[in-house]
Amino acid sequence: MTLIETHPQDTSRTRPGGLFTGYRLGGLTLPNRVVMAPMTRARAAAGGLATPSMATYYAQRATAGLIVSEGVQPSLIGQSNPGTPGLYTDEQVASWRPVTDAVHANGGRIFAQIMHGGRVSHPDTTGLVPVGPSAVPAAGEVFTPTGPQAAPVPRALETGEVPEHARSYASAARRAVDAGFDGVELHGANGYLISQFLSINSNLRTDRYGGSVANRVRFAVEAVEATIDAVGAARTGIRLSPGGTFWGVEEKDVPELYTVLLGELARLEPAYVHLEATTDDEVLLALRRAWPGTLIMNPVLPLGPARTGRADADRWLGLGAELISFGRSFIANPDLVERLRGGLPLETEDAATYYQGGDTGYVTYSSYRHGG
């Protein structure tokens, strides 16, 4: 099928160098259209504290137009994986300040991704029974301190509890701003709590949060609305994975579901929507047309066989995205922006070091000009 793009285009998207032109995002002026996508690296200290190595890691990549941090839990019960950082205690806030200071000192901008795992968690990780829209376990095994284990059956949230979990994103956002972050991205993708409410097989509710499309998008909208009330629309974004099947979620009528969701979000005017390429181009382009605000596009399937490259970025800039997110390419290429600009070769990261902890495979990659 031939797709005709009708979204009004900024000429900087299609001319040579468009990826390296500036962009105004909320209250920030980005020097380029390259976004570092959020990636779990499992390097936090006990108590969900950020570390000096995390400050080095993010500061090394500060030439990105925008960095979006790894997922940060808004509460203990919201923690999904061991070794991930939080933003729900004063100690956690204090631990993040050297990270944001280091990024800013290197000329960068950084949003915190707020990630509530919902049912994708385990009592061995948090000491708590995970919660979710319904008592339906995630597919597969979840990470725990002693290794992978079968996903447990979560406790279904009572109707009166749901708003508290929506507000937890806002509470973490306040702490993020206090910690020096320039804004926050709500993790509404990849089978975590917001995604679980959107899903037809993890959300079997019959109350105002389940059933119809209008009800299934309600939790996402309430979480975004609370966050905007807390820190402002210019500091709030959301990441979505339309049609994604991570952790066994299933979505029905994807175009309708996300068109309704984007319509509700449009009236709140968040800084951006961050879409993953988890469905076909026809649907993604329809969602681009349905969304009047800034779009960050992640052009390839997260954790799929391909990595986002310059051609993918240029293509989606031409199709109407304002910003392009790159994930794994940033791991082994802290100077990814410079490599893309100069057409320089990209290094391949060691996948064995994704989550192993320590500095190896984390802050040990060099820039090209220093022999990387």
Side-chain angles (χ1 to χ4, degrees):
M1 176 182 293
T2 300
L3 299 174
I4 300 174
E5 175 53 43
T6 61
H7 185 74
Q9 298 211 1
D10 176 339
T11 56
S12 67
R13 295 178 188 139
T14 54
R15 71 171 183 257
L19 186 61
F20 308 107
T21 58
Y23 186 77
R24 186 74 176 173
L25 179 69
L28 300 174
T29 298
L30 313 187
N32 57 67
R33 311 291 183 103
V34 177
V35 175
M36 178 175 163
M39 292 176 285
T40 299
R41 302 306 310 274
R43 258 75 172 189
L49 303 181
T51 68
S53 291
M54 290 165 68
T56 300
Y57 172 74
Y58 286 114
Q60 286 175 338
R61 290 152 180 83
T63 53
L66 177 68
I67 293 171
V68 184
S69 81
E70 63 212 275
V72 182
Q73 55 261 17
S75 60
L76 180 58
I77 202 167
Q79 182 175 359
S80 179
N81 302 309
T84 54
L87 269 171
Y88 57 92
T89 71
D90 292 344
E91 292 76 16
Q92 290 165 352
V93 170
S95 74
W96 276 112
R97 288 188 184 125
V99 179
T100 59
D101 285 348
V103 170
H104 293 147
N106 276 13
R109 296 134 301 275
I110 183 168
F111 273 35
Q113 188 190 63
I114 309 302
M115 173 183 155
H116 191 312
R119 68 179 185 170
V120 185
S121 185
H122 197 280
D124 285 2
T125 299
T126 64
L128 303 168
V129 175
V131 296
S134 302
V136 180
E141 296 181 320
V142 296
F143 299 103
T144 78
T146 57
Q149 296 192 50
V153 177
R155 180 179 67 81
L157 290 166
E158 300 290 339
T159 301
E161 294 179 286
V162 175
E164 166 195 340
H165 288 268
R167 291 192 298 268
S168 73
Y169 294 90
S171 177
R174 288 190 195 93
R175 289 184 176 276
V177 171
D178 188 26
F181 284 97
D182 298 294
V184 298
E185 175 181 283
L186 277 62
H187 197 347
N190 300 358
Y192 298 110
L193 186 61
I194 290 174
S195 175
Q196 290 160 30
F197 272 93
L198 297 173
S199 166
I200 60 167
N201 65 349
S202 60
N203 181 354
L204 309 180
R205 304 177 73 91
T206 57
D207 63 2
R208 63 196 300 266
Y209 293 99
S212 69
V213 166
N215 283 351
R216 281 187 284 128
V217 304
R218 191 184 307 277
F219 181 78
V221 174
E222 288 184 355
V224 172
E225 188 167 31
T227 303
I228 287 174
D229 286 346
V231 299
R235 287 178 165 151
T236 303
I238 185 171
R239 182 167 169 135
L240 302 169
S241 54
T245 58
F246 303 96
W247 298 109
V249 296
E250 179 184 350
E251 294 172 349
K252 184 179 179 182
D253 301 326
V254 170
E256 178 191 4
L257 176 67
Y258 282 88
T259 298
V260 170
L261 175 56
L262 292 177
E264 288 292 308
L265 295 177
R267 67 179 175 81
L268 301 174
E269 300 183 330
Y272 66 79
V273 164
H274 188 175
L275 287 185
E276 298 178 3
T278 43
T279 187
D280 59 53
D281 277 3
E282 183 174 9
V283 174
L284 293 171
L285 289 171
L287 297 180
R288 164 68 282 186
R289 292 189 290 269
W291 172 243
T294 295
L295 176 67
I296 302 176
M297 188 66 209
N298 191 167
V300 302
L301 182 69
L303 292 179
R307 288 166 169 75
T308 301
R310 177 69 188 273
D312 303 303
D314 289 344
R315 175 173 178 268
W316 268 101
L317 289 174
L319 291 174
E322 283 79 19
L323 303 166
I324 305 296
S325 65
F326 294 75
R328 285 169 290 168
S329 295
F330 260 113
I331 292 177
N333 301 279
D335 58 340
L336 180 64
V337 174
E338 291 73 21
R339 293 189 190 227
L340 292 171
R341 182 183 284 117
L344 301 172
L346 301 185
E347 300 295 328
T348 300
E349 77 283 0
D350 179 3
T353 65
Y354 282 170
Y355 316 118
Q356 74 172 17
D359 284 350
T360 300
Y362 188 56
V363 298
T364 52
Y365 296 107
S366 301
S367 63
Y368 187 83
R369 61 183 176 274
H370 291 143

